[in-house]
C-alpha cells in the first residue's frame, strides 16, 4: 500500500512540474490567455477559431493590465503566429513592449492580421479590436 501511494505522489509531482509553467497564465477577454516570458515579452493564445483581431485585443489588454503599459505605448510582434512556446497551444503570437533587435516593418501596406515580426500597434489601437462584433461573438 505504501508503495502504491508513494508511486501516486511521485506521478502527481512529475505531472505538476511539467504543467506548472503552462498554468502560469493570465485570463483575458473573450477566452484569450497571456503567458509571461522574460522581460516585456509575452505569449498570447486565443479561443479556437478566433481571428487575428483577437490576438491584438488580448495583447493590448495584457500589456495594459499586467505590464503597466499606457494607452499610447506600442507593442510589437516578436514572433508571428506559430506553436506556443509556453502554452503548448497550436497557435500563439509573441508580443513585446521593447522593439530593440526587432526588424522594422517596411512598406505602406499594413496587414494587421499577418503578424509580421516588427509589426506594431498602440495599446489603444489594440484595444479598439476588442469589439465583440469585430471578433465574431455576435
Amino acid at each position: 500500500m505504501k508503495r502504491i501511494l508513494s508511486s501516486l505522489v511521485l506521478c502527481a509531482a512529475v505531472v505538476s512540474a511539467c504543467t506548472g509553467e503552462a498554468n502560469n497564465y493570465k485570463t483575458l477577454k473573450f477566452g484569450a490567455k497571456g503567458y509571461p516570458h522574460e522581460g516585456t515579452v509575452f505569449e498570447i493564445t486565443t479561443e479556437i477559431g478566433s481571428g487575428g483581431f483577437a490576438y491584438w485585443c488580448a495583447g493590448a489588454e495584457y500589456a495594459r493590465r499586467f505590464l503597466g503599459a499606457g494607452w499610447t505605448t506600442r507593442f510589437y510582434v516578436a514572433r508571428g503566429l506559430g506553436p506556443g512556446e509556453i502554452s503548448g497551444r497550436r497557435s500563439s503570437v509573441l508580443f513585446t513592449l521593447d522593439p530593440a533587435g526587432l526588424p522594422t516593418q517596411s512598406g505602406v501596406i499594413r496587414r494587421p492580421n499577418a503578424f509580421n515580426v516588427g509589426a506594431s500597434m498602440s495599446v489603444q489601437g489594440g484595444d479598439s479590436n476588442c469589439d465583440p462584433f469585430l471578433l465574431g461573438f455576435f
Side-chain angles (χ1 to χ4, degrees):
M1 183 69 168
K2 281 185 177 181
R3 204 176 242 171
I4 292 172
L5 287 176
S6 63
S7 296
L8 288 174
V9 169
L10 179 63
C11 287
V14 168
V15 168
S16 67
C18 292
T19 60
E21 217 172 319
N23 289 330
N24 185 24
Y25 63 85
K26 304 294 184 191
T27 303
L28 305 168
K29 295 177 188 172
F30 307 113
K33 294 178 181 173
Y35 298 83
H37 280 246
E38 285 189 32
T40 61
V41 177
F42 54 99
E43 179 177 322
I44 296 294
T45 63
T46 61
E47 287 289 308
I48 295 171
S50 297
F53 295 108
Y55 289 96
W56 287 108
C57 168
E61 182 183 5
Y62 188 91
R64 179 92 173 128
R65 286 181 51 203
F66 301 107
L67 298 178
W71 289 110
T72 59
T73 303
R74 297 194 78 76
F75 63 109
Y76 303 82
V77 175
R79 194 218 61 217
L81 197 58
E85 294 179 11
I86 292 181
S87 67
R89 296 277 303 268
R90 181 180 289 181
S91 300
S92 74
V93 175
L94 291 183
F95 291 104
T96 183
L97 294 179
D98 184 12
L102 297 178
T104 57
Q105 190 178 24
S106 61
V108 291
I109 298 174
R110 270 191 71 209
R111 293 184 0 202
N113 298 333
F115 300 115
N116 297 319
V117 173
S120 70
M121 189 176 289
S122 69
V123 170
Q124 185 173 12
D127 188 65
S128 71
N129 288 308
C130 294
D131 182 347
F133 291 101
L134 183 66
L135 296 173
F137 290 108
F138 290 105

mmCIF file of all heavy atoms in Angstrom, residues 43-66:
data_model
loop_
_atom_site.group_PDB
_atom_site.id
_atom_site.type_symbol
_atom_site.label_atom_id
_atom_site.label_comp_id
_atom_site.label_asym_id
_atom_site.label_seq_id
_atom_site.Cartn_x
_atom_site.Cartn_y
_atom_site.Cartn_z
ATOM 1 N N GLU A 43 3.306 35.854 -24.453
ATOM 2 C CA GLU A 43 2.679 34.987 -25.443
ATOM 3 C C GLU A 43 1.166 35.085 -25.302
ATOM 4 O O GLU A 43 0.642 35.050 -24.188
ATOM 5 C CB GLU A 43 3.130 33.543 -25.197
ATOM 6 C CG GLU A 43 2.552 32.525 -26.133
ATOM 7 C CD GLU A 43 3.118 31.136 -25.848
ATOM 8 O OE1 GLU A 43 4.315 31.019 -25.528
ATOM 9 O OE2 GLU A 43 2.345 30.171 -25.960
ATOM 10 N N ILE A 44 0.477 35.212 -26.412
ATOM 11 C CA ILE A 44 -0.978 35.317 -26.417
ATOM 12 C C ILE A 44 -1.577 34.138 -27.182
ATOM 13 O O ILE A 44 -1.141 33.818 -28.285
ATOM 14 C CB ILE A 44 -1.437 36.638 -27.072
ATOM 15 C CG1 ILE A 44 -0.962 37.842 -26.263
ATOM 16 C CG2 ILE A 44 -2.960 36.660 -27.262
ATOM 17 C CD1 ILE A 44 -1.579 37.969 -24.881
ATOM 18 N N THR A 45 -2.556 33.490 -26.563
ATOM 19 C CA THR A 45 -3.348 32.470 -27.238
ATOM 20 C C THR A 45 -4.805 32.920 -27.182
ATOM 21 O O THR A 45 -5.208 33.617 -26.266
ATOM 22 C CB THR A 45 -3.219 31.086 -26.573
ATOM 23 O OG1 THR A 45 -3.729 31.155 -25.243
ATOM 24 C CG2 THR A 45 -1.784 30.618 -26.555
ATOM 25 N N THR A 46 -5.577 32.522 -28.172
ATOM 26 C CA THR A 46 -6.987 32.891 -28.208
ATOM 27 C C THR A 46 -7.838 31.641 -28.338
ATOM 28 O O THR A 46 -7.317 30.535 -28.515
ATOM 29 C CB THR A 46 -7.281 33.832 -29.392
ATOM 30 O OG1 THR A 46 -6.976 33.162 -30.609
ATOM 31 C CG2 THR A 46 -6.469 35.118 -29.300
ATOM 32 N N GLU A 47 -9.132 31.834 -28.265
ATOM 33 C CA GLU A 47 -10.056 30.728 -28.451
ATOM 34 C C GLU A 47 -9.899 30.162 -29.862
ATOM 35 O O GLU A 47 -9.598 30.905 -30.804
ATOM 36 C CB GLU A 47 -11.497 31.208 -28.261
ATOM 37 C CG GLU A 47 -11.857 31.494 -26.816
ATOM 38 C CD GLU A 47 -11.964 30.232 -25.987
ATOM 39 O OE1 GLU A 47 -12.684 29.301 -26.385
ATOM 40 O OE2 GLU A 47 -11.301 30.186 -24.941
ATOM 41 N N ILE A 48 -10.128 28.890 -30.015
ATOM 42 C CA ILE A 48 -10.054 28.246 -31.327
ATOM 43 C C ILE A 48 -11.055 28.916 -32.260
ATOM 44 O O ILE A 48 -12.201 29.134 -31.892
ATOM 45 C CB ILE A 48 -10.333 26.741 -31.209
ATOM 46 C CG1 ILE A 48 -9.229 26.075 -30.388
ATOM 47 C CG2 ILE A 48 -10.458 26.088 -32.579
ATOM 48 C CD1 ILE A 48 -9.503 24.631 -30.025
ATOM 49 N N GLY A 49 -10.600 29.256 -33.442
ATOM 50 C CA GLY A 49 -11.454 29.888 -34.434
ATOM 51 C C GLY A 49 -11.467 31.406 -34.379
ATOM 52 O O GLY A 49 -12.103 32.039 -35.203
ATOM 53 N N SER A 50 -10.772 31.995 -33.417
ATOM 54 C CA SER A 50 -10.716 33.453 -33.329
ATOM 55 C C SER A 50 -9.881 34.010 -34.464
ATOM 56 O O SER A 50 -8.905 33.400 -34.890
ATOM 57 C CB SER A 50 -10.096 33.895 -32.000
ATOM 58 O OG SER A 50 -10.879 33.482 -30.926
ATOM 59 N N GLY A 51 -10.240 35.188 -34.927
ATOM 60 C CA GLY A 51 -9.479 35.854 -35.971
ATOM 61 C C GLY A 51 -8.281 36.591 -35.410
ATOM 62 O O GLY A 51 -8.045 36.625 -34.199
ATOM 63 N N GLY A 52 -7.539 37.207 -36.294
ATOM 64 C CA GLY A 52 -6.334 37.929 -35.899
ATOM 65 C C GLY A 52 -6.587 39.110 -34.987
ATOM 66 O O GLY A 52 -5.736 39.474 -34.178
ATOM 67 N N PHE A 53 -7.775 39.716 -35.101
ATOM 68 C CA PHE A 53 -8.079 40.849 -34.241
ATOM 69 C C PHE A 53 -8.047 40.452 -32.768
ATOM 70 O O PHE A 53 -7.717 41.250 -31.908
ATOM 71 C CB PHE A 53 -9.456 41.436 -34.586
ATOM 72 C CG PHE A 53 -9.512 42.036 -35.954
ATOM 73 C CD1 PHE A 53 -10.206 41.409 -36.970
ATOM 74 C CD2 PHE A 53 -8.859 43.231 -36.233
ATOM 75 C CE1 PHE A 53 -10.262 41.956 -38.244
ATOM 76 C CE2 PHE A 53 -8.904 43.788 -37.494
ATOM 77 C CZ PHE A 53 -9.608 43.152 -38.504
ATOM 78 N N ALA A 54 -8.392 39.202 -32.469
ATOM 79 C CA ALA A 54 -8.427 38.723 -31.088
ATOM 80 C C ALA A 54 -7.031 38.741 -30.462
ATOM 81 O O ALA A 54 -6.887 39.013 -29.274
ATOM 82 C CB ALA A 54 -9.023 37.323 -31.030
ATOM 83 N N TYR A 55 -5.984 38.467 -31.262
ATOM 84 C CA TYR A 55 -4.619 38.494 -30.731
ATOM 85 C C TYR A 55 -4.217 39.919 -30.360
ATOM 86 O O TYR A 55 -3.600 40.148 -29.329
ATOM 87 C CB TYR A 55 -3.635 37.910 -31.751
ATOM 88 C CG TYR A 55 -3.762 36.422 -31.921
ATOM 89 C CD1 TYR A 55 -4.527 35.882 -32.950
ATOM 90 C CD2 TYR A 55 -3.126 35.534 -31.060
ATOM 91 C CE1 TYR A 55 -4.652 34.512 -33.120
ATOM 92 C CE2 TYR A 55 -3.235 34.163 -31.219
ATOM 93 C CZ TYR A 55 -4.006 33.660 -32.245
ATOM 94 O OH TYR A 55 -4.126 32.297 -32.396
ATOM 95 N N TRP A 56 -4.555 40.876 -31.234
ATOM 96 C CA TRP A 56 -4.222 42.275 -30.936
ATOM 97 C C TRP A 56 -5.006 42.768 -29.720
ATOM 98 O O TRP A 56 -4.476 43.479 -28.873
ATOM 99 C CB TRP A 56 -4.489 43.160 -32.144
ATOM 100 C CG TRP A 56 -3.495 42.978 -33.239
ATOM 101 C CD1 TRP A 56 -3.707 42.362 -34.432
ATOM 102 C CD2 TRP A 56 -2.127 43.409 -33.257
ATOM 103 N NE1 TRP A 56 -2.553 42.381 -35.185
ATOM 104 C CE2 TRP A 56 -1.568 43.015 -34.489
ATOM 105 C CE3 TRP A 56 -1.319 44.078 -32.352
ATOM 106 C CZ2 TRP A 56 -0.253 43.276 -34.849
ATOM 107 C CZ3 TRP A 56 0.006 44.341 -32.697
ATOM 108 C CH2 TRP A 56 0.525 43.943 -33.928
ATOM 109 N N CYS A 57 -6.269 42.386 -29.638
ATOM 110 C CA CYS A 57 -7.109 42.753 -28.499
ATOM 111 C C CYS A 57 -6.499 42.223 -27.199
ATOM 112 O O CYS A 57 -6.302 42.963 -26.234
ATOM 113 C CB CYS A 57 -8.526 42.198 -28.690
ATOM 114 S SG CYS A 57 -9.591 42.275 -27.242
ATOM 115 N N ALA A 58 -6.185 40.942 -27.171
ATOM 116 C CA ALA A 58 -5.629 40.314 -25.977
ATOM 117 C C ALA A 58 -4.237 40.850 -25.658
ATOM 118 O O ALA A 58 -3.890 41.047 -24.493
ATOM 119 C CB ALA A 58 -5.579 38.795 -26.160
ATOM 120 N N GLY A 59 -3.432 41.111 -26.692
ATOM 121 C CA GLY A 59 -2.105 41.673 -26.472
ATOM 122 C C GLY A 59 -2.175 43.048 -25.823
ATOM 123 O O GLY A 59 -1.405 43.369 -24.917
ATOM 124 N N ALA A 60 -3.119 43.859 -26.275
ATOM 125 C CA ALA A 60 -3.297 45.194 -25.690
ATOM 126 C C ALA A 60 -3.738 45.082 -24.236
ATOM 127 O O ALA A 60 -3.224 45.795 -23.362
ATOM 128 C CB ALA A 60 -4.324 45.983 -26.496
ATOM 129 N N GLU A 61 -4.671 44.184 -23.966
ATOM 130 C CA GLU A 61 -5.142 44.015 -22.590
ATOM 131 C C GLU A 61 -4.019 43.531 -21.676
ATOM 132 O O GLU A 61 -3.848 44.030 -20.569
ATOM 133 C CB GLU A 61 -6.313 43.029 -22.542
ATOM 134 C CG GLU A 61 -6.856 42.853 -21.148
ATOM 135 C CD GLU A 61 -7.968 41.832 -21.026
ATOM 136 O OE1 GLU A 61 -8.285 41.155 -22.033
ATOM 137 O OE2 GLU A 61 -8.507 41.688 -19.920
ATOM 138 N N TYR A 62 -3.220 42.571 -22.143
ATOM 139 C CA TYR A 62 -2.123 42.048 -21.328
ATOM 140 C C TYR A 62 -1.094 43.151 -21.054
ATOM 141 O O TYR A 62 -0.638 43.322 -19.920
ATOM 142 C CB TYR A 62 -1.449 40.859 -22.022
ATOM 143 C CG TYR A 62 -0.446 40.162 -21.135
ATOM 144 C CD1 TYR A 62 -0.835 39.102 -20.327
ATOM 145 C CD2 TYR A 62 0.879 40.578 -21.082
ATOM 146 C CE1 TYR A 62 0.076 38.468 -19.496
ATOM 147 C CE2 TYR A 62 1.793 39.952 -20.255
ATOM 148 C CZ TYR A 62 1.387 38.895 -19.466
ATOM 149 O OH TYR A 62 2.292 38.276 -18.633
ATOM 150 N N ALA A 63 -0.723 43.893 -22.098
ATOM 151 C CA ALA A 63 0.267 44.958 -21.935
ATOM 152 C C ALA A 63 -0.226 46.011 -20.939
ATOM 153 O O ALA A 63 0.534 46.481 -20.090
ATOM 154 C CB ALA A 63 0.569 45.610 -23.285
ATOM 155 N N ARG A 64 -1.481 46.361 -21.027
ATOM 156 C CA ARG A 64 -2.059 47.399 -20.160
ATOM 157 C C ARG A 64 -2.213 46.906 -18.730
ATOM 158 O O ARG A 64 -1.779 47.561 -17.788
ATOM 159 C CB ARG A 64 -3.420 47.823 -20.730
ATOM 160 C CG ARG A 64 -4.132 48.863 -19.906
ATOM 161 C CD ARG A 64 -3.777 50.235 -20.403
ATOM 162 N NE ARG A 64 -4.599 51.214 -19.718
ATOM 163 C CZ ARG A 64 -4.101 52.263 -19.101
ATOM 164 N NH1 ARG A 64 -2.818 52.485 -19.105
ATOM 165 N NH2 ARG A 64 -4.883 53.114 -18.503
ATOM 166 N N ARG A 65 -2.846 45.752 -18.553
ATOM 167 C CA ARG A 65 -3.184 45.284 -17.205
ATOM 168 C C ARG A 65 -2.011 44.685 -16.442
ATOM 169 O O ARG A 65 -1.902 44.860 -15.238
ATOM 170 C CB ARG A 65 -4.299 44.242 -17.280
ATOM 171 C CG ARG A 65 -5.657 44.840 -17.575
ATOM 172 C CD ARG A 65 -6.760 43.808 -17.633
ATOM 173 N NE ARG A 65 -6.779 42.944 -16.460
ATOM 174 C CZ ARG A 65 -7.313 41.731 -16.454
ATOM 175 N NH1 ARG A 65 -7.848 41.238 -17.553
ATOM 176 N NH2 ARG A 65 -7.314 41.010 -15.360
ATOM 177 N N PHE A 66 -1.155 43.944 -17.138
ATOM 178 C CA PHE A 66 -0.140 43.183 -16.420
ATOM 179 C C PHE A 66 1.283 43.721 -16.581
ATOM 180 O O PHE A 66 2.163 43.358 -15.811
ATOM 181 C CB PHE A 66 -0.204 41.706 -16.828
ATOM 182 C CG PHE A 66 -1.557 41.111 -16.549
ATOM 183 C CD1 PHE A 66 -2.426 40.822 -17.574
ATOM 184 C CD2 PHE A 66 -1.967 40.875 -15.251
ATOM 185 C CE1 PHE A 66 -3.681 40.295 -17.323
ATOM 186 C CE2 PHE A 66 -3.229 40.352 -14.976
ATOM 187 C CZ PHE A 66 -4.090 40.061 -16.018
#
